[in-house]
Amino acid sequence: MKQLMVFDLDGTLAKSKAPLGVGMGRLLGRLLSVARVAIISGGTWTQFQKQLLPYLPTDDRLKRLSMLPTTGTRFLQYDGQWRVLYAEDFTAAEKKKIVTSLDTAFDQSGFRPAKHWGELIEDRGSQITLSALGQEAPLTEKKAWDPDFAKRKKIKAILDPLLPDFSVTLGGATSIDITRPGVDKAYGIHKLKLELDIPIARMLFVGDALFPGGNDHPARTTGVECIEVRDPLETEHVIRAFIAAAP
Ligand SMILES: [Mg+2]
């Protein structure tokens, strides 16, 4: 029996940047009664708070939930309130280099859109994220922009040689995430192992981008058992099956 279920957030538990919703919130509450749960995503803690907290149970079950925003460079655990166990951020010089390179690659790719909604590049402390249509873009626009990741794969090909000392991954619907090398879902899974003292063999990872180049793919390198889902609806089926199989 697996002890810990680890979820990607956007595209897995919720639609990109969308609220978790009452149904999924209740289901996670039931899951927390039979297993530990961790949520790891490129999103910030602020984003987690907006997207997740209103829909989660508010009782002691939360103590079995680990939150790993910005791909596990922050780790929060609940003990009556959410506490940061650790946080790891970029230096000012690193940030400048990353932002300049993102701008260059976006322009060279030819995919910079004529119209965008909100900030294109967001500083998340330990992660810098390009949202190709802007942070506030409507979901319909975002979903239509790069459904097969083809545009972002081309931008990544330009970006990789510009940022040899950093890691470039594709996630969400329109995002490219820059982190320190080694800061990816695998990093998060190792942090979970360390902080929670749970062997990787007792974890189950669920994500929508487990294909090569996807931001969930590095999880596979840890040897964690992975389930690839198409969308939150499929994730619900996975959770229900897990709960049904629990002793
Ligand atoms: Mg995802």
Side-chain angles (χ1 to χ4, degrees):
M1 185 72 197
K2 301 291 183 188
Q3 211 178 336
L4 171 67
M5 259 184 120
V6 187
F7 294 94
D8 165 56
L9 175 51
D10 284 327
T12 299
L13 283 179
K15 288 177 187 167
S16 182
K17 297 232 170 161
L20 185 69
V22 174
M24 184 64 95
R26 284 209 189 110
L27 197 54
L28 283 178
R30 286 174 56 205
L31 179 60
L32 282 165
S33 303
V34 299
R36 296 196 68 118
V37 174
I39 301 174
I40 173 168
S41 155
T44 58
W45 174 236
T46 309
Q47 185 65 34
F48 270 52
Q49 287 174 293
K50 269 194 292 195
Q51 239 176 313
L52 295 169
L53 294 193
Y55 304 99
L56 292 172
T58 49
D59 51 45
D60 268 4
R61 282 177 290 177
L62 279 189
K63 292 181 177 171
R64 286 196 292 272
L65 175 61
S66 302
M67 299 287 216
L68 287 78
T70 45
T71 323
T73 56
R74 270 178 177 67
F75 193 120
L76 293 99
Q77 201 67 46
Y78 188 81
D79 68 356
Q81 56 178 298
W82 286 100
R83 296 203 190 273
V84 179
L85 297 192
Y86 66 79
E88 305 158 342
D89 291 341
F90 285 133
T91 66
E94 287 174 325
K95 286 180 181 180
K96 196 173 164 202
K97 177 163 172 98
I98 292 166
V99 169
T100 308
S101 303
L102 277 171
D103 269 326
T104 304
F106 203 18
D107 283 334
Q108 278 183 19
S109 71
F111 294 131
R112 189 187 283 273
K115 182 177 181 188
H116 65 87
W117 294 261
E119 292 291 309
L120 290 178
I121 295 176
E122 187 189 11
D123 176 357
R124 299 179 175 181
S126 53
Q127 177 176 317
I128 292 180
T129 295
L130 170 74
S131 299
L133 296 177
Q135 292 290 325
E136 317 299 332
L139 189 56
T140 46
E141 300 280 344
K142 289 205 284 188
K143 283 184 93 162
W145 187 73
D146 191 26
D148 55 0
F149 287 78
K151 288 192 177 92
R152 280 172 292 165
K153 282 176 183 167
K154 284 181 187 158
I155 298 171
K156 176 174 158 61
I158 302 170
L159 206 47
D160 278 331
L162 295 177
L163 293 173
D165 300 329
F166 297 91
S167 162
V168 178
T169 48
L170 317 179
T174 63
S175 320
I176 297 180
D177 297 324
I178 314 298
T179 56
R180 285 188 209 289
V183 175
D184 53 26
K185 296 268 160 81
Y187 176 89
I189 284 170
H190 285 296
K191 290 288 193 182
L192 282 165
K193 178 181 165 220
L194 281 172
E195 297 289 337
L196 302 179
D197 198 23
I198 294 176
I200 287 173
R202 307 282 309 269
M203 300 180 193
L204 184 61
F205 180 87
V206 183
D208 71 315
L210 279 157
F211 52 85
N215 69 353
D216 296 324
H217 185 256
R220 289 195 189 277
T221 64
T222 65
V224 71
E225 191 179 321
C226 294
I227 299 180
E228 182 153 22
V229 293
R230 205 172 35 233
D231 53 29
L233 195 64
E234 207 173 324
T235 305
E236 281 189 25
H237 297 319
V238 170
I239 297 173
R240 282 185 213 285
F242 186 94
I243 294 170

